[in-house]
Amino acid sequence: MIISDVLSLDRVSVFPSMYKADMLDKMILQLSKTREVQDYHALKEGVFHREALMSTGIGMGIAVPHVRLLSVKSPVMAAAVCKGPVLGYESLDGQEVRLVFMIAAGKGQHAEHLRLLSSITRRLRDQTLREALTNTFDTKKFYHMLMTGEVT
Amino acid sequence: MNSVLFILGFGILGGLVGGVLFKKLHIPQVIGYIVIGLAVGATGFNLIKIEDIQALEPFNLFALGIIGFLVGGELKLDSFRDYGGQFAAILLGEGLAAFVLVGLPVGLIVYFVCHNIPVAFATGIVFGAIASATDPASTISVLWEYRSLGVLTTSLTAIVALDDALAMTLYGVGTGVAQILTSGHGSILGGLAKVSMELLGAVALGALMGVILVGVLRYVLEPERCLAFALGLILLVISLAVTIHADVILAAMTLGFVLTNVTPRKSEELFKVMRGFSIPIYVLFFVLVGARINLAGMPWWLWAIVGVYVLGRSFGKMFGAYVGAKMTGSPDVVCRYLGTGLFAQGGVAIGLSIMASHHLSGIQLTETMALGDAIICGVATTTFIVQLIGPPMVKWAITKADEAGRDITKEDIIAGWTAKDAMKEDVDTISEHELLGSIINRFSEKDNLFYLVANQAGQMVGGLSLETLKSVLIDQESWRWLVASDVMCSLDHRVTEQSPLHAVLETMDQYRLERMPVVKTDGSDVPVGLIDMADLKHRVDREILRRRRSDHV
């Protein structure tokens, strides 16, 4: 499974600086409108439960809130770039979080879920791309760069 | 009403009911079958008449063939290699002692009745020869019923299987001598030669059919189809054995013996299916043995013959087996208990008595009773009595030898266990927020291949095996930020401690689960153990070994 299979342009957002909970709420709402997600409340509970276990701010300004749920039919993703820091989003290296990729997968889609997490983090290890994405507030351009891995 | 079909149906159902009732009384079921036969036969309500039983003679032969085949399947060459000399000595000891200790007193009684020395001598020889036979069917049936395993069981199986041949030899010589004594013509050597030909013919016939069945098993894989082939061949063996006057049981036994020793693995399934198929045949066979007996119409001296036969034979079997076993340095349990396991008599004794009555027809013992009738009636009655004594004595012997209940299979263990008996209690649990890096360290430092994942309240939320971690092992970067909750597998099924293990395994098989958490009560999420297929296999194997292990062997 590749990123283009789970992320469409309409689920890429540009947000102003805001609190973590508000941002997660907005992205959860966005995902819950897809055919893949069948239960908004379950998604919200799942995402916040996972954040309670440990912050998904993995460092380098990136956060990947993710969850596996019975009410999700197949993996789906939403992406957001924040014009300022996401307030209250703790990260492993202490850097402020600017890029957020929320992933929801089905309960049994264990391998797909992990592969998707791995492919997104692998792509964002490229510092040039990461910086370009952080500074791009045009959703089309963001989407294109994320899909191709090329900075334009 | 079709009387043969009535007998078949009534005999099987009635016999089964009798078997169940006797089992409840802790008496071997075979006695239940015979008692039911007695109740419905000539002694009791006469529902099954002697002419009906005669009409069922082909069935009796079929039953003897099946029994012979299954007994042959119990005889492994390895046992003969290990105990061959020992078996031969015991066989001769118990057979000859029974022959002498029955033949002499019976001859004396008959002499007092008819004052004819040749007739008394002939009768003694025939009764003595028949006394040496032991019934493999009921003896083996008790060994199976009580799941016996050990050196005494092996010895019993071999002796009861082989002493038919000894009985046939003694009988052949005996009737040869008896015919010469009573009619004044014929020769002992001729009698011996005839019997030898019959025994060799039976072995050759069984071996030939055995080779054919081995060939069939190579190409036919389904056990049910193999059963059909085996039944066809057994019927052929029986009919050919009858045609050439060979011993039916010995021929069928050779067939089973060849099969189990040439293709032990492939034939195992066939013997299992055949054992299931043989149950109604066994039942009906013994019901007919009971129905054949008429206890009311016997003179006093025949009762006396019955008395000395039972006593002399029992003592002869015990004494002869003890001497034979002692002489060959057999284990203590064999010396002590083997003889008491050899009391039962059945089809072979009755068959020999019928043959003897044909061979010795026309000799009157008294005005009202011919020698042939005395033999049939006497042997039928002694058969009934020793069938009553024999199976409980087999049970007693294997119980004293501590061999009962040791032939345990995987299925027996599973049937008797609950989830609690089968679970691992020391299941390591990790918290759902434990980092992947730390989890991987656990796997590398400990032998555990699986962990339960629990939340802060101690409730399990999933499971983690090396298999589930496979996809993240390469991406070491993710070890810093993935937690147990991200990589665990859900555990949608759980069972309580009291769940029967067979039901648990059915569920695991249905959902292809390798592991199943065990909880205290329904609805609980707190694990008390884990059923792990790999671990369970070891547990069951250990339990089988534990139950089979005997200090006496």
Side-chain angles (χ1 to χ4, degrees):
Chain A
M1 183 159 282
I2 51 174
I3 301 170
S4 59
D5 292 336
V6 293
L7 181 66
S8 59
L9 179 59
D10 61 312
R11 289 199 296 276
V12 176
S13 315
V14 177
F15 292 126
S17 177
M18 61 172 76
Y19 279 101
K20 174 183 177 180
D22 296 332
M23 178 141 196
L24 291 178
D25 261 342
K26 284 182 187 295
M27 294 180 81
I28 288 165
L29 193 63
Q30 215 170 25
L31 279 184
S32 65
K33 285 175 184 162
T34 63
R35 279 183 301 139
E36 287 83 353
V37 177
Q38 294 176 322
D39 187 338
Y40 162 77
H41 297 288
L43 179 63
K44 185 169 178 175
E45 194 185 325
V47 168
F48 279 96
H49 174 72
R50 173 60 184 86
E51 291 302 322
L53 293 178
M54 186 187 167
S55 173
T56 54
I58 64 171
M60 299 177 294
I62 305 162
V64 277
H66 57 271
V67 69
R68 275 186 298 141
L69 293 170
L70 208 58
S71 54
V72 175
K73 284 199 288 186
S74 56
V76 62
M77 186 197 278
V81 55
C82 210
K83 287 180 177 169
V86 183
L87 303 171
Y89 218 131
E90 289 169 19
S91 67
L92 286 176
D93 57 3
Q95 276 190 45
E96 55 192 35
V97 170
R98 295 284 301 278
L99 296 169
V100 183
F101 301 89
M102 183 179 282
I103 297 169
K107 188 122 182 156
Q109 291 155 347
H110 178 261
E112 292 94 323
H113 176 233
L114 290 177
R115 270 201 295 274
L116 203 54
L117 280 170
S118 180
S119 64
I120 193 87
T121 53
R122 217 172 29 243
R123 179 151 296 181
L124 294 172
R125 266 180 220 146
D126 178 350
Q127 191 182 352
T128 320
L129 177 65
R130 209 167 55 235
E131 281 172 3
L133 287 172
T134 309
N135 298 311
T136 302
F137 305 123
D138 175 350
T139 54
K140 269 189 190 167
K141 201 172 167 188
F142 181 98
Y143 184 76
H144 178 75
M145 285 197 290
L146 184 65
M147 292 302 128
T148 59
E150 289 166 8
V151 177
T152 51
Chain B
M1 196 183 341
N2 185 316
S3 60
V4 170
L5 290 178
F6 171 76
I7 293 172
L8 291 176
F10 188 81
I12 292 171
L13 291 177
L16 282 171
V17 172
V20 170
L21 290 176
F22 274 69
K23 196 180 179 185
K24 281 202 185 298
L25 300 171
H26 302 287
I27 299 171
Q29 297 184 56
V30 66
I31 295 175
Y33 309 151
I34 296 174
V35 168
I36 292 294
L38 211 59
V40 297
T43 302
F45 299 105
N46 210 18
L47 292 173
I48 297 179
K49 298 191 170 45
I50 202 76
E51 52 269 29
D52 297 330
I53 297 171
Q54 279 160 2
L56 279 170
E57 193 48 34
F59 167 80
N60 266 341
L61 287 172
F62 178 53
L64 286 173
I66 297 282
I67 291 163
F69 177 74
L70 289 173
V71 171
E74 297 284 321
L75 299 176
K76 305 284 192 291
L77 264 179
D78 296 348
S79 309
F80 284 97
R81 277 191 210 113
D82 296 345
Y83 305 110
Q86 181 183 319
F87 288 162
I90 297 171
L91 188 67
L92 282 174
E94 57 88 22
L96 291 177
F99 176 76
V100 173
L101 291 179
V102 170
L104 274 178
V106 168
L108 278 174
I109 292 172
V110 172
Y111 176 75
F112 283 119
V113 172
C114 68
H115 303 290
N116 183 332
I117 291 176
V119 168
F121 203 70
T123 313
I125 287 175
V126 170
F127 269 99
I130 293 173
S132 66
T134 313
D135 178 32
S138 59
T139 311
I140 299 277
S141 130
V142 175
L143 297 179
W144 285 346
E145 185 179 343
Y146 293 98
R147 295 188 172 279
S148 189
L149 186 84
V151 67
L152 177 66
T153 306
T154 310
S155 308
L156 270 174
T157 308
I159 299 295
V160 296
L162 293 172
D163 77 356
D164 267 5
L166 179 70
M168 287 284 291
T169 312
L170 290 174
Y171 168 80
V173 179
T175 46
V177 172
Q179 272 177 313
I180 296 157
L181 290 174
T182 52
S183 65
H185 53 80
S187 76
I188 298 173
L189 273 179
L192 255 180
K194 193 164 168 270
V195 172
S196 306
M197 287 305 290
E198 286 172 6
L199 291 176
L200 282 175
V203 171
L205 179 63
L208 174 71
M209 292 299 178
V211 171
I212 295 174
L213 191 52
V214 167
V216 169
L217 283 192
R218 213 163 271 173
Y219 297 101
V220 183
L221 297 174
E222 309 95 313
E224 292 79 8
R225 216 166 261 275
C226 290
L227 175 71
F229 273 106
L231 285 174
L233 282 170
I234 290 170
L235 286 167
L236 265 183
V237 164
I238 295 166
S239 66
L240 289 172
V242 170
T243 309
I244 63 169
H245 301 290
D247 180 27
V248 168
I249 294 194
L250 188 62
M253 217 164 72
T254 312
L255 173 63
F257 176 77
V258 168
L259 193 66
T260 196
N261 286 292
V262 177
T263 53
R265 276 196 185 172
K266 279 188 183 170
S267 60
E268 199 174 310
E269 189 65 25
L270 172 62
F271 280 112
K272 197 175 160 192
V273 179
M274 185 67 86
R275 242 170 254 141
F277 174 83
S278 70
I279 291 169
I281 296 170
Y282 259 74
V283 175
L284 189 58
F285 179 77
F286 287 111
V287 168
L288 292 180
V289 168
R292 210 185 288 267
I293 300 165
N294 183 2
L295 294 176
M298 287 175 23
W300 67 268
W301 54 267
L302 199 47
W303 280 110
I305 286 181
V306 168
V308 297
Y309 181 101
V310 173
L311 289 175
R313 182 174 173 274
S314 305
F315 184 70
K317 291 273 173 190
M318 286 197 290
F319 176 71
Y322 180 83
V323 171
K326 266 285 177 210
M327 275 169 57
T328 50
S330 304
D332 202 31
V333 282
V334 176
C335 298
R336 276 203 220 164
Y337 305 117
L338 182 68
T340 46
L342 298 173
F343 290 171
Q345 281 204 295
V348 173
I350 287 173
L352 289 180
S353 72
I354 292 168
M355 280 160 67
S357 74
H358 282 301
H359 287 147
L360 303 169
S361 57
I363 302 166
Q364 284 296 126
L365 284 179
T366 63
E367 279 180 17
T368 52
M369 183 157 279
L371 175 58
D373 292 339
I375 292 172
I376 288 191
C377 228
V379 171
T381 311
T382 56
T383 302
F384 170 66
I385 296 170
V386 294
Q387 276 296 27
L388 287 184
I389 306 167
M393 289 312 285
V394 176
K395 182 187 165 189
W396 179 83
I398 55 173
T399 310
K400 290 298 277 183
D402 199 16
E403 292 188 3
R406 291 198 181 277
D407 190 12
I408 293 290
T409 62
K410 191 178 81 179
E411 287 74 18
D412 298 325
I413 304 281
I414 290 171
W417 268 8
T418 61
K420 188 175 185 190
D421 302 316
M423 71 187 188
K424 279 164 77 173
E425 283 178 14
D426 52 340
V427 187
D428 280 336
T429 304
I430 55 179
S431 161
E432 63 177 333
H433 63 257
E434 183 162 335
L435 271 173
L436 184 54
S438 148
I439 295 168
I440 286 171
N441 276 341
R442 276 181 190 259
F443 274 106
S444 62
E445 285 165 6
K446 284 189 170 184
D447 289 336
N448 268 8
L449 295 173
F450 183 82
Y451 290 90
L452 281 173
V453 181
N455 62 18
Q456 279 180 321
Q459 298 165 315
M460 68 187 150
V461 288
L464 257 177
S465 66
L466 262 184
E467 181 70 22
T468 50
L469 295 181
K470 215 168 59 182
S471 49
V472 288
L473 285 178
I474 292 177
D475 187 8
Q476 290 199 17
E477 185 64 28
S478 66
W479 296 6
R480 294 186 308 117
W481 53 270
L482 282 176
V483 294
S485 167
D486 300 329
V487 287
M488 71 186 184
C489 276
S490 57
L491 295 170
D492 298 325
H493 303 274
R494 57 206 58 187
V495 289
T496 62
E497 285 180 327
Q498 286 75 35
S499 308
L501 183 59
H502 67 87
V504 176
L505 292 179
E506 273 170 29
T507 309
M508 291 178 78
D509 185 51
Q510 187 184 350
Y511 296 101
R512 297 182 179 186
L513 304 173
E514 278 298 304
R515 295 168 191 90
M516 178 83 95
V518 182
V519 293
K520 199 99 188 155
T521 50
D522 266 332
S524 168
D525 278 322
V526 181
V528 290
L530 182 81
I531 293 177
D532 182 310
M533 287 306 273
D535 169 72
L536 178 64
K537 194 179 169 303
H538 293 303
R539 276 172 192 263
V540 170
D541 287 346
R542 275 201 302 272
E543 182 66 11
I544 290 174
L545 275 179
R546 190 187 71 76
R547 292 198 199 177
R548 280 185 179 176
R549 199 174 295 134
S550 166
D551 297 334
H552 298 285
V553 179

